[in-house]
Structures are given as C-alpha cells and as structure tokens.
Amino acid sequence: MSVAMDTGGARKERMLIGGDWVDSVGGGGLAVENPGNRSVIAHIPRGGAEDVDRAVAAATEAFKTWSKTVPRDRGRILLKIADAVEARVEELARIVAEETGNAIRTQARPEANGVADIFRYFGGLASELKGETIPFGEHVLSYTRREPIGVVGAIIPWNAPVMLGALKIAPALCAGNTLVLKAAEDAPLGVLWMASICQEFLPDGVLNVLTGLGEECGAALSKHPGIRKLSFTGSTEVGKLIMREAAARIVPVSLELGGKSPSIVYPDADEDWVVDGIIAAMRFTRQSQSCTAGSRLFLHADIFDSFLGKLADKVKTLKIGDPLDEETDMGAVINEKQFRKVCGYVEEGIKQPDAELLFGGMPPEAGPLSEGYFAIPTVFANPSNDWRLAREEIFGPVLCAIRWTDEEEVIRMANESHYGLAAYVWTHDIGRALRAAHAIEAGWVQVNQGLGQSPGHSYGGTKQSGIGREFSLEGMLDSFTQRKNVTVNVNTPSGPLT
Ligand code: NAI
Ligand code: MG
C-alpha cells in the first residue's frame, strides 16, 4: 500500500456499504502494490470517519431483521457462501498471492480453500446457539438465551487476509450480529472479493467492508458509539489502542495479537521430520509473517550443531521468487516498511558479537529478488535474550536458535516473554512432551507438528498475545453472543378462565 495515487492501468475497487459498492465520502484513494515486483495492481477507497458512520448506520438497520432471522436460515446462507467461494476458489488464490506476496502453491491457495471451510464450519453451527435452564425449583423457570451483541466492528491485518476476514464474518453473522469489517490497507482485494460473494446471498447491510488506513478508518471504527463489540487481529501495539477504546464505552473486545513462540526440541528428536516440522512451525513459506511462527528455537545442547546443519541444508532448498509461480515456495514480505523492519533486525544481529549468523543474512541488492521485498531465511545462534532480536516479534524469516540442557531451564526461558500465543514441543517421550505442554504459557501448544489453525479449535493467546477465542463453537458463543437470563415465577395465582 502507498498513499500516492498511480494513474496506470490498475483496477479501481469500491467498498461495500449497505449493499452498495461505493467510493469514500472524502473521495481519496490508496494504491495496492504487488510486493513481488512493486507494481500497483489496484486502487481502493481511502475510507474515513464519514464512511464508518454510513457503514454503522447500514449495519444497525440490518441488525433489526438479521438478529431475528431463524439461526438455521442464517446458517444456510453461510453454507451457500462456502459453496460459492469453493466454486471460484482459484480466483481468490490468485488475488491473495498477488496482493500479499504469499506464494500461491504453499500459502495463497491453501488459505483460499480455508475460507470455504470456515464458512461451512460456522454455517453448520447455527443451531448450536443454545442457552441453558437453571434448576431454581419447581415453581421457577429460569433460562438463558444466547443473543447477538449488535453491530460488530472488526479490523484485520494483511498476513492471511481472507482467512482472518472469514474468521470475523462467519462467526459474527452466524450468531446474528451484523458487521463492519475494515480490511488491511496492504491486502484488501481478496477481502473485497469475498465480500462480493457474501453480498450475493446476504441481505443488504449485514456485512459492510471498508478500506482505508488504520489511523483514519480503523481508529474511527474503534471509536464509533454504534459499535457494540470490537474484534481485532494485528499488532499488540494497536491491540492496546483498541482495548482502550473499548474500555471508554465498556464494549466487549477480542484481541488476537502478536507472538514470539518457542519451539523446544528434545535430544531424542534430531531427525529429518522434526526439521520439516520446524520449517513449517516457523512459517518460512509465508516469509514467517505469522503470529504463531515458532521463531525461538530451543535446541538441546547434544544436538545443537547437528540439528542446525540439517535445518540449513533444507531451508536452503526453499525456492524464493514470484508469488504467482507454482514452483515458488516462499514469496515476498508485504511492503517496504515491513521489509526494512526485517532487514533492521538482521543487520543488528550481524553486528552483535556473541550471536553467530548461521545462514541467510541481508537480502540481495541486485538480481531478480531485488525487484521485490524478498527477505531470505536467516538463522542466528545464541542471541542473548536481552536483545530485541530474541524478544520482539520480527514478522519475517529470522529464527533465533538457543541452546539448552536442563528441562526446567528451557521452560523458564520459553516463558520469559511478554507473549504467549503458540508453542511447539518435539520429542518421542510422551511424558516429557506433556509436562512441557502443560508448563508453557501459551494459548496453543503443538506436540510433534507445526500446523496452522483449523475451524473448531479454540485459538488465541495468553499474556500480551491477546484475549478471547473466535475459531470454534465456544469461541463464537463467548465472543459473539451475550447471555440473557429470563427468570419466571410459574406459581402466580391463576386469573379467571375466560
Ligand atoms: P497493525 O496492527 O498496525 O495493522 C493491523 C490492522 O490494524 C490494519 O487493518 C490496520 O489498518 C489497523 N490499524 C492500524 N492502526 C490502527 C489504529 N490506530 N486504530 C485502528 N486500527 C488500526 O500491523 P502492521 O503495522 O501492519 O504490522 C506491524 C507489526 O504488527 C508486524 O511487524 C507484526 O509484528 C504485527 N502484526 C501481527 C499480526 C498478527 O497476526 N498477530 C498481523 C499483522 C501484524
Ligand atoms: Mg501499524
């Protein structure tokens, strides 16, 4: 994304408000770039406070009917959306690869397929919006209803834009809320495409999708008095701002924020399949732009050198290049700002006297890779935990390898972080694996695998990685409904029978 307008042949997109495709009231626009070659591929409206007002008004109006629609009928619509996305999933995969720089084979296509899965999963859950009855006694009927909250304001990032967009749309709408969703300025095109499919089936105003900058459009959405629930995925820094806005109006908030997740490899796991798992957990093929990236690799001292040797051999075979090329394993970093940020960490690591650059380093300054924001997989050994490199979320393919010998010590180091999103444990010994899994402070621990989230799994963070869960039935109930209790005295004197 860049604020400058380009008058070339790039297509012009509009936002979805109240069933209409519109420009921003202010009339401004933003350019969307392909980070693989820095070309402008589209222009989007630069939404602002007035657009937020219009969208919230449309969602408020639509809520009156949508919230009263029989849940099963809402679910049926989500199932139709799932089928329609699936029928045209390749279009979505290409859009996502082009705008995010994520390689089509390894990332964008699986993500696009995941969107259909998410709509299908939540479509099937509509009848599960059940309440409870409370046994206060024979003369009382006390029951709870799971009611929708109202207009939800959701803000999403660019790293897995359509998966994260679907994860707001499907549960929020299934539960009977209406939604104003702000797409990330760097990757709005797949989300707008998804919105156009949704709009074929949804009543006007149930889903509204805005584009624009965080400080303008996002901030206005988070402050809007008509928003009854805020749901945010992105940086911890912005998450704190969102929570402050939520506090000002006492609205519930869900936050899915950053991470610096540990991967602990035990001495019995110096094996090829574990190397593959570490590469998957680190999300190297998404340029490690993932909140769950296992970016702190704790290797037992006995296997430290041998494991890193194997890891280097495998990572070097990853093909970096054009995101739309089927041969590509790893594409480009989203934008110049993030690219420079990643390079800054690498530069700093190279300068640190104690850390050893095992492989990777600064990106090439000439040749085809210099035409896009291509970072190369990089591993530093022994960075001190005091350094930024070892503590901060880099959101790029920079892995820190740390030596350990004692189990208690490695758990302590793993927990020495203000984040607590994901973790990975690698060993054949089930007792050790589960001891570690229970001791690690994280919302999600995987043992002997480094996979992504699936619908049904209550995904989310502890500590500064976030609050709330959205990716499951319980997540939908907790994050997108509110309980109302109705208590009835059944024992009132009967009136005359008429
Ligand atoms: P960001 O948190 O600034 O952006 C995420 C979304 O929030 C975008 O839609 C953006 O427009 C919006 N936003 C930004 N400022 C806002 C504000 N003041 N009020 C309301 N909405 C606002 O993330 P950014 O700048 O793209 O990336 C910076 C770092 O954040 C990354 O290096 C990474 O460490 C982290 N990040 C984490 C993600 C995750 O999945 N947990 C996703 C994206 C970034
Ligand atoms: Mg930002």
Side-chain angles (χ1 to χ4, degrees):
M1 184 284 311
S2 83
V3 176
M5 289 292 288
D6 177 308
T7 49
R11 65 181 189 278
K12 192 168 179 302
E13 297 283 345
R14 293 197 163 82
M15 313 185 280
L16 177 63
I17 298 181
D20 296 323
W21 292 94
V22 299
D23 290 318
S24 67
V25 172
L30 302 167
V32 181
E33 240 183 33
N34 171 345
N37 59 20
R38 302 190 184 125
S39 65
V40 173
I41 50 176
H43 294 111
I44 52 164
R46 182 172 173 168
E50 290 165 293
D51 303 298
V52 169
D53 273 344
R54 284 197 293 170
V56 174
T60 304
E61 185 56 34
F63 182 74
K64 294 176 191 162
T65 309
W66 185 249
S67 58
K68 304 279 186 302
T69 301
V70 175
R72 204 182 282 263
D73 293 338
R74 295 198 298 255
R76 247 183 227 124
I77 292 179
L78 298 182
L79 294 172
K80 285 184 192 161
I81 293 170
D83 289 343
V85 168
E86 202 161 61
R88 291 169 57 190
V89 77
E90 195 55 23
E91 277 173 55
L92 182 58
R94 294 189 70 82
I95 293 170
V96 170
E98 202 180 13
E99 68 177 338
T100 60
N102 292 344
I104 189 151
R105 190 190 85 251
T106 60
Q107 293 299 320
R109 190 174 292 123
E111 185 188 340
N113 281 313
V115 166
D117 279 350
I118 290 165
F119 277 101
R120 192 160 290 132
Y121 171 76
F122 284 104
L125 290 185
S127 297
E128 294 298 323
L129 293 153
K130 294 184 274 201
E132 304 96 28
T133 55
I134 301 104
F136 282 140
E138 286 308 304
H139 311 303
V140 180
L141 169 63
S142 185
Y143 63 97
T144 58
R145 286 162 53 84
R146 288 281 189 177
E147 297 187 345
I149 302 173
V151 179
V152 174
I155 298 173
I156 52 171
W158 40 264
N159 55 329
V162 293
M163 183 187 92
L164 297 171
L167 272 179
K168 305 294 184 201
I169 300 170
L173 267 48
C174 179
N177 306 281
T178 55
L179 183 64
V180 179
L181 174 71
K182 193 199 87 70
E185 51 270 47
D186 293 295
L189 306 177
V191 175
L192 290 172
W193 184 95
M194 184 165 66
S196 77
I197 299 273
C198 291
Q199 188 55 34
E200 285 176 30
F201 303 98
L202 289 169
D204 292 350
V206 169
L207 171 65
N208 306 273
V209 176
L210 301 177
T211 57
L213 299 174
E215 307 75 43
E216 294 175 2
C217 192
L221 183 59
S222 68
K223 287 177 202 309
H224 200 287
I227 295 291
R228 302 290 294 274
K229 150 97 199 186
L230 283 165
S231 173
F232 173 78
T233 302
S235 63
T236 295
E237 183 195 357
V238 175
K240 289 178 185 175
L241 298 176
I242 301 290
M243 197 159 175
R244 231 167 261 148
E245 296 302 341
R249 305 196 310 280
I250 318 283
V251 299
V253 59
S254 308
L255 303 171
E256 208 266 89
L257 310 175
K260 186 80 176 175
S261 298
S263 232
I264 301 179
V265 184
Y266 280 76
D268 66 339
D270 184 18
E271 294 168 3
D272 283 337
W273 66 273
V274 181
V275 173
D276 291 334
I278 293 295
I279 292 170
M282 181 52 186
R283 311 281 190 264
F284 271 127
T285 59
R286 208 200 296 157
Q287 303 74 260
S288 305
Q289 298 170 123
S290 165
C291 42
T292 46
S295 53
R296 290 186 297 148
L297 175 60
F298 292 97
L299 291 171
H300 192 273
D302 292 352
I303 61 165
F304 194 82
D305 295 325
S306 115
F307 192 93
L308 285 174
K310 286 200 264 291
L311 181 68
D313 290 345
K314 281 231 164 139
V315 171
K316 281 176 193 159
T317 66
L318 292 176
K319 190 165 177 289
I320 308 173
D322 179 4
L324 286 162
D325 185 342
E326 293 289 336
E327 300 282 300
T328 298
D329 296 306
M330 184 174 162
V333 168
I334 188 74
N335 60 27
E336 186 173 1
K337 185 184 127 212
Q338 289 298 115
F339 179 70
R340 290 196 187 288
K341 182 179 158 191
V342 174
C343 292
Y345 283 104
V346 176
E347 232 172 351
E348 206 175 297
I350 291 172
K351 283 189 199 138
Q352 299 286 354
D354 307 333
E356 186 190 344
L357 174 65
L358 287 177
F359 58 90
M362 295 296 280
E365 282 172 15
L369 291 188
S370 67
E371 276 151 37
Y373 305 118
F374 292 100
I376 53 175
T378 298
V379 177
F380 285 103
N382 306 318
S384 151
N385 202 30
D386 302 338
W387 301 345
R388 259 175 17 103
L389 194 67
R391 304 190 68 87
E392 295 176 8
E393 180 175 55
I394 298 177
F395 232 59
V398 184
L399 180 66
C400 294
I402 301 148
R403 209 182 285 267
W404 67 277
T405 46
D406 173 66
E407 187 175 293
E408 222 172 279
E409 175 206 17
V410 73
I411 300 288
R412 184 185 51 73
M413 288 194 289
N415 287 341
E416 235 172 49
S417 169
H418 59 289
Y419 290 122
L421 190 50
Y424 308 84
V425 179
W426 309 86
T427 175
H428 293 275
D429 182 331
I430 188 72
R432 283 170 148 183
L434 296 185
R435 264 200 318 273
H438 296 178
I440 292 170
E441 295 165 357
W444 183 23
V445 183
Q446 294 188 69
V447 176
N448 294 336
Q449 63 166 30
L451 303 182
Q453 306 89 314
S454 317
H457 152 208
S458 271
Y459 172 74
T462 62
K463 302 199 271 186
Q464 290 194 27
S465 290
I467 289 179
R469 308 287 184 261
E470 292 179 343
F471 211 159
S472 58
L473 170 59
E474 321 80 87
M476 172 178 75
L477 294 175
D478 291 348
S479 295
F480 293 109
T481 72
Q482 53 196 350
R483 274 194 172 90
K484 177 189 280 176
N485 179 267
V486 179
T487 304
V488 184
N489 174 8
V490 178
N491 213 13
T492 47
S494 304
L497 284 174
T498 51

